[in-house]
Amino acid sequence: MEIRHLASDDLDAVLDIRRRAFGPLSGSGADTWRKLVSPMLPEGRYLGAFDGTRLVGAARINPYVQWWHGRPLSMGGVAGVTVSPEDRGRGVGRALTAAAVERCAQLGHAVSALYPATTPLYRKAGYEHAGVFQRITVPAEALRTLGDPGAAVKLRRMGPADAAELVALIGRVHTATRASGPLCFDERTWRLWLEDDDDFCYLAEDGFVVYRWSDGDIEVDNLLARSEATARALWSLVGSASTVAKSVTAYVDPADPVLWMLRERSKDEVAQTRWMFRLIDLPAAVEGRGFPAGVSIEAPLVVTDPQREANTGTWVLRVNGGSGFVTREAGEAGEATRLTIGGMSALFAGVSTATLRRAGLLTGGSPEADDALDAAFGCAAYMIDYF
């Protein structure tokens, strides 16, 4: 089996194995998919596994920015991992995932994330469960009444020409709110999404919304706002369809302010999908991540990463003034906290040391070290985009 970069001539074969593995795309869906992936081909972002000349599997690495405590990191979003049905059980998926990790490193991504169809495959490659993709369902009428007529928030329709402004806005909001986990597409991808006539897109000075009709109700893909006034204006815009739509489903931060704005909230209707996360370049990821400004720690760590030896070894983590870095130390540190790369990735994403210790992903160290690590990395990681 050979793994190599795919070219445009391979896309029909990719669509064929995708259809056999997951069901067919509609005609328009296939056209959109081609527009999405074609610019990635010359960048070496689509990997194919071949048995001779026959394509037996494929995996794509999407170019994203992901925020961690308000600071952006280059993230490789692994998606479209597909193996033809007759080639399952041959290790194709495992080989593709390992190749995707290495390609993420070559592309300069400090971290990687994915939505797993199966956990064991990705866990063996160093990914671990990290955050949530949460959907809430609320009555449309409850949103309609959130608006404040006196706030005078200006909203305008948004289209492909607004992609650059939208990317900048997303960065400002995630930085200001010290968000952990959400991502942003690049401009060319946003231009493609903003061309969809089925979506209704509105932009404010410090927020935006993308929503659509779905079986007589409303589905919100994205709604992000920096201020209370803009959040109320955008949610009430969505809720203004309440004479027709009875409910609104929305993908939101589990701590989205709208849940505290609703007049009546006694029971949440929530569905969660988990995503997995992996550190690709440990020093770059720590240096690029944000940390709480009031936390100052120094802690020895021993990390084991069988696939990426550059991450393996004894490190000293130092965090101070909102920034952090790790330096490599020679030899073993007797009192160090010891983590698998999956455990280190989960810790980076805010999973508590108590959870990691009981799951067997963290050993050694001390209660004091655990508290310090929790103070540095603690967060509730989330995404509002599926890929």
Side-chain angles (χ1 to χ4, degrees):
M1 182 173 60
E2 176 192 10
I3 295 179
R4 63 171 173 80
H5 300 317
L6 295 179
S8 57
D9 291 346
D10 298 311
L11 293 185
D12 285 343
V14 176
L15 278 174
D16 177 68
I17 63 172
R18 187 201 183 284
R19 177 175 61 86
R20 294 172 186 272
F22 300 122
L25 288 169
S26 66
S28 61
D31 289 342
T32 299
W33 175 82
R34 287 180 184 273
K35 291 178 182 178
L36 173 68
V37 305
S38 291
M40 300 184 192
L41 298 175
E43 298 172 355
R45 290 186 171 276
Y46 221 138
L47 303 177
F50 289 83
D51 184 351
T53 60
R54 184 172 64 90
L55 182 71
V56 298
R60 187 174 74 248
I61 302 165
N62 296 321
Y64 295 139
V65 173
Q66 187 178 36
W67 277 263
W68 289 99
H69 200 78
R71 291 190 186 173
L73 282 176
S74 177
M75 188 268 272
V78 177
V81 180
T82 313
V83 178
S84 60
E86 65 270 32
D87 294 292
R88 291 171 181 160
R90 297 179 53 197
V92 177
R94 184 171 62 252
L96 278 169
T97 305
V101 168
E102 290 308 308
R103 187 60 184 147
C104 280
Q106 294 165 5
L107 290 165
H109 296 307
V111 299
S112 177
L114 54 83
Y115 285 94
T118 174
T119 293
L121 170 66
Y122 299 113
R123 185 170 277 155
K124 288 177 181 177
Y127 289 86
E128 193 46 77
H129 287 284
V132 298
F133 174 65
Q134 178 163 298
R135 184 183 69 184
I136 62 169
T137 302
V138 297
E141 176 63 17
L143 297 175
R144 184 188 66 80
T145 59
L146 289 182
D148 179 1
V153 174
K154 293 183 179 179
L155 304 178
R156 66 175 178 85
R157 296 182 182 184
M158 178 170 56
D162 297 303
E165 182 178 350
L166 179 58
V167 168
L169 167 65
I170 291 170
R172 291 196 302 271
V173 175
H174 289 327
T175 297
T177 58
R178 299 181 298 283
S180 289
L183 61 86
C184 184
F185 307 117
D186 59 8
E187 285 185 33
R188 71 186 180 200
T189 303
W190 265 118
R191 282 194 295 271
L192 180 61
W193 297 150
L194 292 172
E195 289 174 358
D196 192 335
D197 291 336
D198 292 332
D199 289 345
F200 303 102
C201 312
Y202 289 87
L203 185 66
E205 182 178 344
D206 64 343
F208 77 101
V209 63
V210 177
Y211 71 95
R212 68 179 64 87
W213 287 92
S214 177
D215 296 326
D217 288 315
I218 299 292
E219 182 177 81
V220 176
D221 259 358
N222 295 90
L223 193 154
L224 199 63
R226 168 76 189 276
S227 65
E228 176 193 357
T230 297
R232 288 184 177 277
L234 292 171
W235 283 115
S236 63
L237 170 71
V238 172
S240 66
S242 62
T243 55
V244 178
K246 299 307 176 187
S247 66
V248 173
T249 60
Y251 300 93
V252 297
D253 173 359
D256 192 288
V258 71
L259 297 171
W260 280 261
M261 294 177 180
L262 293 171
R263 182 174 181 273
E264 183 63 54
R265 183 192 174 196
S266 58
K267 182 185 296 184
D268 292 343
E269 188 175 340
V270 172
Q272 289 187 340
T273 300
R274 306 294 305 188
W275 46 271
M276 300 182 79
F277 179 76
R278 192 195 202 281
L279 297 174
I280 301 296
D281 184 331
L282 173 59
V286 172
E287 186 174 353
R289 189 192 198 279
F291 293 90
V295 172
S296 179
I297 72 168
E298 181 173 318
L301 306 173
V302 176
V303 179
T304 304
D305 186 347
Q307 180 166 343
R308 291 198 49 75
E309 285 297 318
N311 294 328
T312 294
T314 301
W315 304 88
V316 174
L317 166 72
R318 294 179 175 88
V319 174
N320 189 51
S323 297
F325 62 95
V326 291
T327 53
R328 189 179 290 278
E329 296 290 306
E332 288 281 335
E335 297 300 318
T337 301
R338 299 170 182 271
L339 302 114
T340 64
I341 189 59
M344 185 67 222
S345 299
L347 175 67
F348 185 100
V351 180
S352 73
T353 54
T355 295
L356 297 175
R357 197 174 283 282
R358 289 179 292 171
L361 299 173
L362 179 154
T363 60
S366 65
E368 292 76 16
D370 284 2
D371 286 347
L373 292 171
D374 286 338
F377 290 104
C379 65
Y382 70 94
M383 289 191 200
I384 58 173
D385 294 285
Y386 191 88
F387 58 89

